[in-house]
């Protein structure tokens, strides 16, 4: 049955799933590697360095770093027939592969909402300064928290 | 006055050199231990290699896909796509595949062709496994057939064979590595849920690969070829899948 809504053709460049599937799995490696370094560094310093953020922001960050992203990884691996053959509890604890898939999509929507809010707030606070700070570690000079 | 090489410069250069040679060594080890997939090229090939390499290592202990009981079998097993409409296939189908032969060739000492009766005389295995399709749907069914490992023993696979290529009656050719081929659950199935394999599910013979996504379980098998390199097989990427945006390795 033809779909009601179709994305414009350029989004499906090279085939049925296009490059989106490949990008997703490459990005997964980048996220897991970066995330592992981030969490390890935070644990080593015994706290996460969020001095300028208010309580709501810190709670959001904690939820993303310690709940949403780990759930993405867990539900993603639960959909892997190879991984679940090695560690079956990864999928059975979630109630099966279909449950894992549903949770994966729900968490993805939550993360997407976070990213939109996150980027908007960074833009309001000074995009260049804060993205530069994220990369170099040199916090911009601000008197009051964002 | 000669300049002294500072300790920090020495340390950094040494670390960089060690890192670079470490990468080269890792690449060589990966290649030798079969950790590099045929679709390793390009930017996305990096992700494919990391995924295949890590999962190849993790599943090297012949981890078994979960096997279910008869009451778990799905009421509905969706059929994805029609059987080939070629004259060759339809003629075989019309005569219940009595004239069909599975050809096994390539790097084998005793190439042969097998009828369905020949295959049924070989050691059989029955397994109730879950099949997940990349598209999102899934089902559980009981598959019975001859383990690929048993067939490879009959034709005396040569030691230099590293990949098994599957040629079906349609254009969806594919391949697996020899480790996967020897896995006890890698099945050439001629029976589904207690009866003959239906045309919609790949009659007369299909591959069953329960540790990978459904699109690797090739239907309508016609020929199996053992090779030591996939570089010169069709598109050189091990499968039709990479041309369609899928991965050669479908463990995830």
């Amino acid at each position: 049955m033809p779909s009601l809504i179709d994305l414009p053709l350029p989004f499906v460049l090279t085939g049925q799933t296009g490059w989106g599937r490949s990008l997703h799995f490459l990005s997964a490696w980048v996220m897991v590697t970066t995330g592992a370094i981030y969490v390890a560094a935070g644990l080593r310093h015994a706290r996460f360095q969020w001095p300028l953020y208010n309580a709501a922001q810190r709670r959001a960050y904690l939820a993303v770093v310690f709940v949403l992203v780990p759930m993405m990884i867990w539900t993603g691996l639960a959909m892997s027939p190879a991984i679940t053959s090695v560690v079956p509890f990864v999928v059975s604890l979630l109630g099966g592969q279909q449950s894992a898939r549903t949770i994966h999509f729900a968490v993805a929507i939550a993360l997407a909402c976070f990213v939109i809010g996150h980027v908007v707030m960074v833009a309001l606070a000074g995009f260049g300064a804060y993205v530069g700070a994220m990369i170099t570690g040199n916090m911009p000079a601000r008197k009051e928290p964002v | 006055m000669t300049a002294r090489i500072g300790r920090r410069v020495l340390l950094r250069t040494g670390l960089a050199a060690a890192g670079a040679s470490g990468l080269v060594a890792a690449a060589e080890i990966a290649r030798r231990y079969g950790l590099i997939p045929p679709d390793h090229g390009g930017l996305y090939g990096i992700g494919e290699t990391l995924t295949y390499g890590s999962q190849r290592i993790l599943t090297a202990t012949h981890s078994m896909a979960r096997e279910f009981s008869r009451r778990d079998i799905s009421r509905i097993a969706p059929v994805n796509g029609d059987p080939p409409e070629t004259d060759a296939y339809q003629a075989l189908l019309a005569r219940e595949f009595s004239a069909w032969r599975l050809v096994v060739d390539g790097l084998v000492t005793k190439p042969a062709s097998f009828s369905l009766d020949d295959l049924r005389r070989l050691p059989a295995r029955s397994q109730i496994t879950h099949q997940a399709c990349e598209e999102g749907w899934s089902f559980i069914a009981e598959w019975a057939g001859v383990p690929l490992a048993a067939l490879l023993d009959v034709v005396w696979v040569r030691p230099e064979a590293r990949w098994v290529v599957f040629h079906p009656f349609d254009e969806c050719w594919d391949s697996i590595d020899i480790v996967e081929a020897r896995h006890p659950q890698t099945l050439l199935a001629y029976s589904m849920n207690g009866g003959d394999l239906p045309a919609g599910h790949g009659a007369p013979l299909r591959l069953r690969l329960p540790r990978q996504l459904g699109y690797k379980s090739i239907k309508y098998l016609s020929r199996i070829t053992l090779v030591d390199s996939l570089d010169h097989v069709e598109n050189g990427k091990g499968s039709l899948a990479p041309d369609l945006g899928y991965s050669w390795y479908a463990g995830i």
Side-chain angles (χ1 to χ4, degrees), chain A residues 14 16-18 21-23 26 29 80-83 85-86 97-98 101, chain B residues 50-51 55 63 130 134 136 138 211 243-247 249 251-252:
Chain A
T14 53
Q16 293 175 18
T17 65
R21 186 184 191 275
S22 305
L23 180 62
L26 178 61
W29 280 103
S80 161
I83 295 292
S85 73
V86 181
Q97 181 251 348
Q98 290 294 351
R101 185 165 179 265
Chain B
L50 287 169
T51 298
Q55 293 197 2
S63 56
H130 177 268
E134 165 68 52
S138 58
R211 296 189 312 170
D243 289 346
L244 298 171
Y246 294 82
S247 309
Y249 176 66
I252 189 164

PDB file of all heavy atoms in Angstrom, chain A residues 14 16-18 21-23 26 29 80-83 85-86 97-98 101, chain B residues 50-51 55 63 130 134 136 138 211 243-247 249 251-252:
ATOM      1  N   THR A  14      20.453   6.391  -2.145  1.00  0.00           N
ATOM      2  CA  THR A  14      21.136   5.274  -2.803  1.00  0.00           C
ATOM      3  C   THR A  14      20.423   3.950  -2.623  1.00  0.00           C
ATOM      4  O   THR A  14      21.024   2.911  -2.719  1.00  0.00           O
ATOM      5  CB  THR A  14      22.564   5.129  -2.238  1.00  0.00           C
ATOM      6  OG1 THR A  14      22.474   5.049  -0.820  1.00  0.00           O
ATOM      7  CG2 THR A  14      23.418   6.305  -2.650  1.00  0.00           C
ATOM      8  N   GLN A  16      16.894   1.548  -0.855  1.00  0.00           N
ATOM      9  CA  GLN A  16      15.704   1.482  -0.026  1.00  0.00           C
ATOM     10  C   GLN A  16      15.886   2.183   1.310  1.00  0.00           C
ATOM     11  O   GLN A  16      15.045   2.967   1.728  1.00  0.00           O
ATOM     12  CB  GLN A  16      15.313   0.018   0.199  1.00  0.00           C
ATOM     13  CG  GLN A  16      14.867  -0.652  -1.076  1.00  0.00           C
ATOM     14  CD  GLN A  16      14.596  -2.121  -0.860  1.00  0.00           C
ATOM     15  OE1 GLN A  16      14.421  -2.577   0.256  1.00  0.00           O
ATOM     16  NE2 GLN A  16      14.563  -2.879  -1.940  1.00  0.00           N
ATOM     17  N   THR A  17      16.969   1.894   1.998  1.00  0.00           N
ATOM     18  CA  THR A  17      17.175   2.602   3.254  1.00  0.00           C
ATOM     19  C   THR A  17      18.154   3.752   3.074  1.00  0.00           C
ATOM     20  O   THR A  17      18.367   4.545   3.984  1.00  0.00           O
ATOM     21  CB  THR A  17      17.731   1.663   4.334  1.00  0.00           C
ATOM     22  OG1 THR A  17      19.016   1.236   3.939  1.00  0.00           O
ATOM     23  CG2 THR A  17      16.841   0.474   4.537  1.00  0.00           C
ATOM     24  N   GLY A  18      18.744   3.851   1.895  1.00  0.00           N
ATOM     25  CA  GLY A  18      19.672   4.937   1.640  1.00  0.00           C
ATOM     26  C   GLY A  18      20.880   4.856   2.544  1.00  0.00           C
ATOM     27  O   GLY A  18      21.186   3.823   3.115  1.00  0.00           O
ATOM     28  N   ARG A  21      20.744   4.281   7.151  1.00  0.00           N
ATOM     29  CA  ARG A  21      21.035   3.136   8.005  1.00  0.00           C
ATOM     30  C   ARG A  21      22.521   3.061   8.326  1.00  0.00           C
ATOM     31  O   ARG A  21      22.916   2.849   9.465  1.00  0.00           O
ATOM     32  CB  ARG A  21      20.571   1.859   7.302  1.00  0.00           C
ATOM     33  CG  ARG A  21      20.695   0.615   8.151  1.00  0.00           C
ATOM     34  CD  ARG A  21      20.302  -0.628   7.363  1.00  0.00           C
ATOM     35  NE  ARG A  21      20.175  -1.780   8.230  1.00  0.00           N
ATOM     36  CZ  ARG A  21      21.185  -2.556   8.601  1.00  0.00           C
ATOM     37  NH1 ARG A  21      22.396  -2.273   8.186  1.00  0.00           N
ATOM     38  NH2 ARG A  21      20.997  -3.590   9.410  1.00  0.00           N
ATOM     39  N   SER A  22      23.345   3.234   7.285  1.00  0.00           N
ATOM     40  CA  SER A  22      24.792   3.181   7.493  1.00  0.00           C
ATOM     41  C   SER A  22      25.264   4.311   8.406  1.00  0.00           C
ATOM     42  O   SER A  22      26.110   4.103   9.274  1.00  0.00           O
ATOM     43  CB  SER A  22      25.523   3.276   6.154  1.00  0.00           C
ATOM     44  OG  SER A  22      25.083   2.282   5.263  1.00  0.00           O
ATOM     45  N   LEU A  23      24.692   5.508   8.206  1.00  0.00           N
ATOM     46  CA  LEU A  23      25.060   6.639   9.055  1.00  0.00           C
ATOM     47  C   LEU A  23      24.673   6.374  10.505  1.00  0.00           C
ATOM     48  O   LEU A  23      25.428   6.682  11.428  1.00  0.00           O
ATOM     49  CB  LEU A  23      24.384   7.919   8.553  1.00  0.00           C
ATOM     50  CG  LEU A  23      24.668   9.191   9.346  1.00  0.00           C
ATOM     51  CD1 LEU A  23      26.152   9.533   9.313  1.00  0.00           C
ATOM     52  CD2 LEU A  23      23.859  10.364   8.802  1.00  0.00           C
ATOM     53  N   LEU A  26      27.270   4.003  12.034  1.00  0.00           N
ATOM     54  CA  LEU A  26      28.562   4.661  12.239  1.00  0.00           C
ATOM     55  C   LEU A  26      28.446   5.635  13.403  1.00  0.00           C
ATOM     56  O   LEU A  26      29.314   5.689  14.287  1.00  0.00           O
ATOM     57  CB  LEU A  26      28.995   5.387  10.957  1.00  0.00           C
ATOM     58  CG  LEU A  26      30.311   6.165  11.042  1.00  0.00           C
ATOM     59  CD1 LEU A  26      31.474   5.245  11.370  1.00  0.00           C
ATOM     60  CD2 LEU A  26      30.585   6.911   9.736  1.00  0.00           C
ATOM     61  N   TRP A  29      28.744   4.145  16.896  1.00  0.00           N
ATOM     62  CA  TRP A  29      30.110   3.956  17.376  1.00  0.00           C
ATOM     63  C   TRP A  29      30.701   5.267  17.901  1.00  0.00           C
ATOM     64  O   TRP A  29      31.357   5.303  18.937  1.00  0.00           O
ATOM     65  CB  TRP A  29      31.000   3.395  16.265  1.00  0.00           C
ATOM     66  CG  TRP A  29      30.839   1.934  16.098  1.00  0.00           C
ATOM     67  CD1 TRP A  29      30.149   1.273  15.137  1.00  0.00           C
ATOM     68  CD2 TRP A  29      31.369   0.911  16.968  1.00  0.00           C
ATOM     69  NE1 TRP A  29      30.214  -0.079  15.342  1.00  0.00           N
ATOM     70  CE2 TRP A  29      30.956  -0.327  16.450  1.00  0.00           C
ATOM     71  CE3 TRP A  29      32.163   0.947  18.125  1.00  0.00           C
ATOM     72  CZ2 TRP A  29      31.305  -1.529  17.053  1.00  0.00           C
ATOM     73  CZ3 TRP A  29      32.510  -0.252  18.715  1.00  0.00           C
ATOM     74  CH2 TRP A  29      32.083  -1.471  18.184  1.00  0.00           C
ATOM     75  N   SER A  80      19.669  -6.784  18.168  1.00  0.00           N
ATOM     76  CA  SER A  80      20.720  -7.450  17.418  1.00  0.00           C
ATOM     77  C   SER A  80      20.636  -8.951  17.648  1.00  0.00           C
ATOM     78  O   SER A  80      20.860  -9.425  18.763  1.00  0.00           O
ATOM     79  CB  SER A  80      22.088  -6.933  17.870  1.00  0.00           C
ATOM     80  OG  SER A  80      23.113  -7.841  17.482  1.00  0.00           O
ATOM     81  N   PRO A  81      20.318  -9.734  16.606  1.00  0.00           N
ATOM     82  CA  PRO A  81      20.252 -11.185  16.801  1.00  0.00           C
ATOM     83  C   PRO A  81      21.601 -11.770  17.217  1.00  0.00           C
ATOM     84  O   PRO A  81      21.645 -12.779  17.922  1.00  0.00           O
ATOM     85  CB  PRO A  81      19.829 -11.713  15.426  1.00  0.00           C
ATOM     86  CG  PRO A  81      19.302 -10.545  14.681  1.00  0.00           C
ATOM     87  CD  PRO A  81      19.978  -9.336  15.230  1.00  0.00           C
ATOM     88  N   ALA A  82      22.694 -11.130  16.807  1.00  0.00           N
ATOM     89  CA  ALA A  82      24.013 -11.651  17.172  1.00  0.00           C
ATOM     90  C   ALA A  82      24.302 -11.402  18.656  1.00  0.00           C
ATOM     91  O   ALA A  82      24.698 -12.314  19.387  1.00  0.00           O
ATOM     92  CB  ALA A  82      25.092 -11.011  16.296  1.00  0.00           C
ATOM     93  N   ILE A  83      24.099 -10.161  19.108  1.00  0.00           N
ATOM     94  CA  ILE A  83      24.382  -9.837  20.515  1.00  0.00           C
ATOM     95  C   ILE A  83      23.481 -10.643  21.443  1.00  0.00           C
ATOM     96  O   ILE A  83      23.924 -11.175  22.470  1.00  0.00           O
ATOM     97  CB  ILE A  83      24.189  -8.321  20.754  1.00  0.00           C
ATOM     98  CG1 ILE A  83      25.214  -7.525  19.949  1.00  0.00           C
ATOM     99  CG2 ILE A  83      24.282  -7.992  22.243  1.00  0.00           C
ATOM    100  CD1 ILE A  83      26.641  -7.685  20.414  1.00  0.00           C
ATOM    101  N   SER A  85      22.288 -13.479  21.000  1.00  0.00           N
ATOM    102  CA  SER A  85      22.668 -14.890  21.068  1.00  0.00           C
ATOM    103  C   SER A  85      23.776 -15.082  22.104  1.00  0.00           C
ATOM    104  O   SER A  85      23.917 -16.161  22.676  1.00  0.00           O
ATOM    105  CB  SER A  85      23.123 -15.400  19.692  1.00  0.00           C
ATOM    106  OG  SER A  85      24.400 -14.894  19.350  1.00  0.00           O
ATOM    107  N   VAL A  86      24.540 -14.029  22.382  1.00  0.00           N
ATOM    108  CA  VAL A  86      25.612 -14.107  23.368  1.00  0.00           C
ATOM    109  C   VAL A  86      25.077 -13.811  24.765  1.00  0.00           C
ATOM    110  O   VAL A  86      25.413 -14.488  25.739  1.00  0.00           O
ATOM    111  CB  VAL A  86      26.750 -13.116  23.017  1.00  0.00           C
ATOM    112  CG1 VAL A  86      27.884 -13.212  24.023  1.00  0.00           C
ATOM    113  CG2 VAL A  86      27.279 -13.383  21.619  1.00  0.00           C
ATOM    114  N   GLN A  97      12.026  -8.629  21.475  1.00  0.00           N
ATOM    115  CA  GLN A  97      12.604  -7.740  20.471  1.00  0.00           C
ATOM    116  C   GLN A  97      11.621  -6.647  20.052  1.00  0.00           C
ATOM    117  O   GLN A  97      12.018  -5.501  19.809  1.00  0.00           O
ATOM    118  CB  GLN A  97      13.029  -8.583  19.257  1.00  0.00           C
ATOM    119  CG  GLN A  97      13.669  -7.797  18.147  1.00  0.00           C
ATOM    120  CD  GLN A  97      12.775  -7.686  16.935  1.00  0.00           C
ATOM    121  OE1 GLN A  97      11.757  -8.377  16.842  1.00  0.00           O
ATOM    122  NE2 GLN A  97      13.115  -6.830  15.998  1.00  0.00           N
ATOM    123  N   GLN A  98      10.343  -6.962  19.982  1.00  0.00           N
ATOM    124  CA  GLN A  98       9.369  -5.942  19.581  1.00  0.00           C
ATOM    125  C   GLN A  98       9.230  -4.862  20.651  1.00  0.00           C
ATOM    126  O   GLN A  98       9.100  -3.680  20.343  1.00  0.00           O
ATOM    127  CB  GLN A  98       8.002  -6.581  19.284  1.00  0.00           C
ATOM    128  CG  GLN A  98       7.976  -7.424  18.018  1.00  0.00           C
ATOM    129  CD  GLN A  98       8.184  -6.589  16.758  1.00  0.00           C
ATOM    130  OE1 GLN A  98       8.187  -5.365  16.787  1.00  0.00           O
ATOM    131  NE2 GLN A  98       8.386  -7.257  15.635  1.00  0.00           N
ATOM    132  N   ARG A 101      12.131  -2.585  20.409  1.00  0.00           N
ATOM    133  CA  ARG A 101      11.982  -1.682  19.269  1.00  0.00           C
ATOM    134  C   ARG A 101      11.084  -0.498  19.617  1.00  0.00           C
ATOM    135  O   ARG A 101      11.405   0.652  19.314  1.00  0.00           O
ATOM    136  CB  ARG A 101      11.400  -2.458  18.090  1.00  0.00           C
ATOM    137  CG  ARG A 101      11.306  -1.687  16.809  1.00  0.00           C
ATOM    138  CD  ARG A 101      11.065  -2.620  15.625  1.00  0.00           C
ATOM    139  NE  ARG A 101      10.960  -1.842  14.397  1.00  0.00           N
ATOM    140  CZ  ARG A 101       9.820  -1.431  13.860  1.00  0.00           C
ATOM    141  NH1 ARG A 101       8.692  -1.755  14.441  1.00  0.00           N
ATOM    142  NH2 ARG A 101       9.815  -0.725  12.757  1.00  0.00           N
TER     143      ARG A 101
ATOM    144  N   LEU B  50      33.847  -1.944  12.272  1.00  0.00           N
ATOM    145  CA  LEU B  50      33.811  -1.993  13.740  1.00  0.00           C
ATOM    146  C   LEU B  50      32.710  -2.940  14.215  1.00  0.00           C
ATOM    147  O   LEU B  50      32.925  -3.746  15.125  1.00  0.00           O
ATOM    148  CB  LEU B  50      33.588  -0.588  14.307  1.00  0.00           C
ATOM    149  CG  LEU B  50      34.775   0.363  14.228  1.00  0.00           C
ATOM    150  CD1 LEU B  50      34.354   1.789  14.573  1.00  0.00           C
ATOM    151  CD2 LEU B  50      35.890  -0.097  15.154  1.00  0.00           C
ATOM    152  N   THR B  51      31.543  -2.845  13.594  1.00  0.00           N
ATOM    153  CA  THR B  51      30.423  -3.685  14.009  1.00  0.00           C
ATOM    154  C   THR B  51      30.706  -5.153  13.726  1.00  0.00           C
ATOM    155  O   THR B  51      30.572  -6.012  14.605  1.00  0.00           O
ATOM    156  CB  THR B  51      29.141  -3.252  13.276  1.00  0.00           C
ATOM    157  OG1 THR B  51      28.840  -1.906  13.625  1.00  0.00           O
ATOM    158  CG2 THR B  51      27.975  -4.148  13.645  1.00  0.00           C
ATOM    159  N   GLN B  55      31.460  -7.980  16.644  1.00  0.00           N
ATOM    160  CA  GLN B  55      30.470  -9.048  16.826  1.00  0.00           C
ATOM    161  C   GLN B  55      31.021 -10.398  16.398  1.00  0.00           C
ATOM    162  O   GLN B  55      30.638 -11.433  16.954  1.00  0.00           O
ATOM    163  CB  GLN B  55      29.185  -8.699  16.070  1.00  0.00           C
ATOM    164  CG  GLN B  55      28.499  -7.494  16.683  1.00  0.00           C
ATOM    165  CD  GLN B  55      27.060  -7.333  16.260  1.00  0.00           C
ATOM    166  OE1 GLN B  55      26.521  -8.143  15.518  1.00  0.00           O
ATOM    167  NE2 GLN B  55      26.423  -6.276  16.729  1.00  0.00           N
ATOM    168  N   SER B  63      27.925 -18.865  19.933  1.00  0.00           N
ATOM    169  CA  SER B  63      26.744 -18.548  20.724  1.00  0.00           C
ATOM    170  C   SER B  63      25.495 -18.949  19.935  1.00  0.00           C
ATOM    171  O   SER B  63      25.440 -18.794  18.717  1.00  0.00           O
ATOM    172  CB  SER B  63      26.710 -17.040  21.002  1.00  0.00           C
ATOM    173  OG  SER B  63      26.746 -16.314  19.792  1.00  0.00           O
ATOM    174  N   HIS B 130      13.483 -17.307  16.047  1.00  0.00           N
ATOM    175  CA  HIS B 130      12.840 -16.020  15.810  1.00  0.00           C
ATOM    176  C   HIS B 130      13.518 -15.346  14.633  1.00  0.00           C
ATOM    177  O   HIS B 130      14.744 -15.335  14.545  1.00  0.00           O
ATOM    178  CB  HIS B 130      12.992 -15.183  17.081  1.00  0.00           C
ATOM    179  CG  HIS B 130      12.462 -13.798  17.008  1.00  0.00           C
ATOM    180  ND1 HIS B 130      13.239 -12.717  16.645  1.00  0.00           N
ATOM    181  CD2 HIS B 130      11.229 -13.295  17.262  1.00  0.00           C
ATOM    182  CE1 HIS B 130      12.501 -11.611  16.687  1.00  0.00           C
ATOM    183  NE2 HIS B 130      11.294 -11.932  17.052  1.00  0.00           N
ATOM    184  N   GLU B 134      14.535  -6.507   8.950  1.00  0.00           N
ATOM    185  CA  GLU B 134      15.029  -5.140   9.035  1.00  0.00           C
ATOM    186  C   GLU B 134      13.883  -4.145   9.018  1.00  0.00           C
ATOM    187  O   GLU B 134      13.957  -3.083   9.614  1.00  0.00           O
ATOM    188  CB  GLU B 134      15.981  -4.903   7.852  1.00  0.00           C
ATOM    189  CG  GLU B 134      16.318  -3.460   7.579  1.00  0.00           C
ATOM    190  CD  GLU B 134      17.167  -2.847   8.667  1.00  0.00           C
ATOM    191  OE1 GLU B 134      18.202  -3.437   9.007  1.00  0.00           O
ATOM    192  OE2 GLU B 134      16.794  -1.790   9.193  1.00  0.00           O
ATOM    193  N   GLY B 136      11.135  -4.297  10.510  1.00  0.00           N
ATOM    194  CA  GLY B 136      10.526  -4.129  11.830  1.00  0.00           C
ATOM    195  C   GLY B 136       9.657  -5.277  12.282  1.00  0.00           C
ATOM    196  O   GLY B 136       9.481  -5.486  13.466  1.00  0.00           O
ATOM    197  N   SER B 138       8.451  -9.345  12.719  1.00  0.00           N
ATOM    198  CA  SER B 138       9.186 -10.550  13.092  1.00  0.00           C
ATOM    199  C   SER B 138       8.204 -11.688  13.303  1.00  0.00           C
ATOM    200  O   SER B 138       6.997 -11.470  13.468  1.00  0.00           O
ATOM    201  CB  SER B 138      10.005 -10.308  14.361  1.00  0.00           C
ATOM    202  OG  SER B 138       9.168  -9.899  15.425  1.00  0.00           O
ATOM    203  N   ARG B 211      21.140 -15.876  13.674  1.00  0.00           N
ATOM    204  CA  ARG B 211      21.892 -14.850  14.408  1.00  0.00           C
ATOM    205  C   ARG B 211      22.081 -13.576  13.588  1.00  0.00           C
ATOM    206  O   ARG B 211      22.892 -12.717  13.945  1.00  0.00           O
ATOM    207  CB  ARG B 211      23.248 -15.392  14.859  1.00  0.00           C
ATOM    208  CG  ARG B 211      23.139 -16.538  15.856  1.00  0.00           C
ATOM    209  CD  ARG B 211      24.489 -16.909  16.446  1.00  0.00           C
ATOM    210  NE  ARG B 211      25.520 -17.058  15.427  1.00  0.00           N
ATOM    211  CZ  ARG B 211      26.809 -17.197  15.691  1.00  0.00           C
ATOM    212  NH1 ARG B 211      27.226 -17.211  16.946  1.00  0.00           N
ATOM    213  NH2 ARG B 211      27.681 -17.339  14.717  1.00  0.00           N
ATOM    214  N   ASP B 243      24.270  -2.466  -2.091  1.00  0.00           N
ATOM    215  CA  ASP B 243      23.783  -1.627  -3.192  1.00  0.00           C
ATOM    216  C   ASP B 243      22.423  -1.034  -2.864  1.00  0.00           C
ATOM    217  O   ASP B 243      21.986  -0.078  -3.512  1.00  0.00           O
ATOM    218  CB  ASP B 243      23.666  -2.457  -4.475  1.00  0.00           C
ATOM    219  CG  ASP B 243      25.022  -2.823  -5.052  1.00  0.00           C
ATOM    220  OD1 ASP B 243      26.033  -2.219  -4.615  1.00  0.00           O
ATOM    221  OD2 ASP B 243      25.092  -3.698  -5.925  1.00  0.00           O
ATOM    222  N   LEU B 244      21.735  -1.643  -1.872  1.00  0.00           N
ATOM    223  CA  LEU B 244      20.395  -1.175  -1.525  1.00  0.00           C
ATOM    224  C   LEU B 244      20.395  -0.388  -0.223  1.00  0.00           C
ATOM    225  O   LEU B 244      19.340  -0.052   0.297  1.00  0.00           O
ATOM    226  CB  LEU B 244      19.446  -2.378  -1.392  1.00  0.00           C
ATOM    227  CG  LEU B 244      19.251  -3.208  -2.667  1.00  0.00           C
ATOM    228  CD1 LEU B 244      18.478  -4.477  -2.351  1.00  0.00           C
ATOM    229  CD2 LEU B 244      18.525  -2.400  -3.722  1.00  0.00           C
ATOM    230  N   GLY B 245      21.563  -0.110   0.337  1.00  0.00           N
ATOM    231  CA  GLY B 245      21.634   0.649   1.580  1.00  0.00           C
ATOM    232  C   GLY B 245      21.625  -0.209   2.825  1.00  0.00           C
ATOM    233  O   GLY B 245      21.543   0.311   3.930  1.00  0.00           O
ATOM    234  N   TYR B 246      21.702  -1.535   2.670  1.00  0.00           N
ATOM    235  CA  TYR B 246      21.785  -2.419   3.819  1.00  0.00           C
ATOM    236  C   TYR B 246      23.240  -2.824   4.037  1.00  0.00           C
ATOM    237  O   TYR B 246      24.107  -2.497   3.243  1.00  0.00           O
ATOM    238  CB  TYR B 246      20.939  -3.677   3.590  1.00  0.00           C
ATOM    239  CG  TYR B 246      19.457  -3.420   3.508  1.00  0.00           C
ATOM    240  CD1 TYR B 246      18.874  -2.989   2.324  1.00  0.00           C
ATOM    241  CD2 TYR B 246      18.635  -3.622   4.607  1.00  0.00           C
ATOM    242  CE1 TYR B 246      17.523  -2.748   2.241  1.00  0.00           C
ATOM    243  CE2 TYR B 246      17.272  -3.397   4.532  1.00  0.00           C
ATOM    244  CZ  TYR B 246      16.718  -2.959   3.347  1.00  0.00           C
ATOM    245  OH  TYR B 246      15.369  -2.735   3.267  1.00  0.00           O
ATOM    246  N   SER B 247      23.491  -3.563   5.114  1.00  0.00           N
ATOM    247  CA  SER B 247      24.856  -4.011   5.387  1.00  0.00           C
ATOM    248  C   SER B 247      25.034  -5.444   4.934  1.00  0.00           C
ATOM    249  O   SER B 247      24.101  -6.240   4.986  1.00  0.00           O
ATOM    250  CB  SER B 247      25.139  -3.961   6.892  1.00  0.00           C
ATOM    251  OG  SER B 247      24.806  -2.710   7.412  1.00  0.00           O
ATOM    252  N   TYR B 249      26.906  -7.488   6.653  1.00  0.00           N
ATOM    253  CA  TYR B 249      26.763  -8.200   7.925  1.00  0.00           C
ATOM    254  C   TYR B 249      25.488  -7.718   8.618  1.00  0.00           C
ATOM    255  O   TYR B 249      25.339  -6.532   8.905  1.00  0.00           O
ATOM    256  CB  TYR B 249      27.965  -7.964   8.833  1.00  0.00           C
ATOM    257  CG  TYR B 249      27.812  -8.601  10.197  1.00  0.00           C
ATOM    258  CD1 TYR B 249      27.769  -9.989  10.324  1.00  0.00           C
ATOM    259  CD2 TYR B 249      27.680  -7.831  11.344  1.00  0.00           C
ATOM    260  CE1 TYR B 249      27.602 -10.580  11.562  1.00  0.00           C
ATOM    261  CE2 TYR B 249      27.514  -8.415  12.584  1.00  0.00           C
ATOM    262  CZ  TYR B 249      27.476  -9.797  12.685  1.00  0.00           C
ATOM    263  OH  TYR B 249      27.303 -10.384  13.906  1.00  0.00           O
ATOM    264  N   GLY B 251      24.194  -8.852  11.633  1.00  0.00           N
ATOM    265  CA  GLY B 251      24.062  -9.276  13.028  1.00  0.00           C
ATOM    266  C   GLY B 251      23.335  -8.244  13.863  1.00  0.00           C
ATOM    267  O   GLY B 251      22.838  -8.538  14.952  1.00  0.00           O
ATOM    268  N   ILE B 252      23.288  -7.013  13.382  1.00  0.00           N
ATOM    269  CA  ILE B 252      22.560  -5.958  14.083  1.00  0.00           C
ATOM    270  C   ILE B 252      21.787  -5.148  13.051  1.00  0.00           C
ATOM    271  O   ILE B 252      22.207  -4.992  11.919  1.00  0.00           O
ATOM    272  CB  ILE B 252      23.514  -5.069  14.903  1.00  0.00           C
ATOM    273  CG1 ILE B 252      22.702  -4.137  15.783  1.00  0.00           C
ATOM    274  CG2 ILE B 252      24.433  -4.267  14.003  1.00  0.00           C
ATOM    275  CD1 ILE B 252      23.490  -3.500  16.903  1.00  0.00           C
TER     276      ILE B 252
END
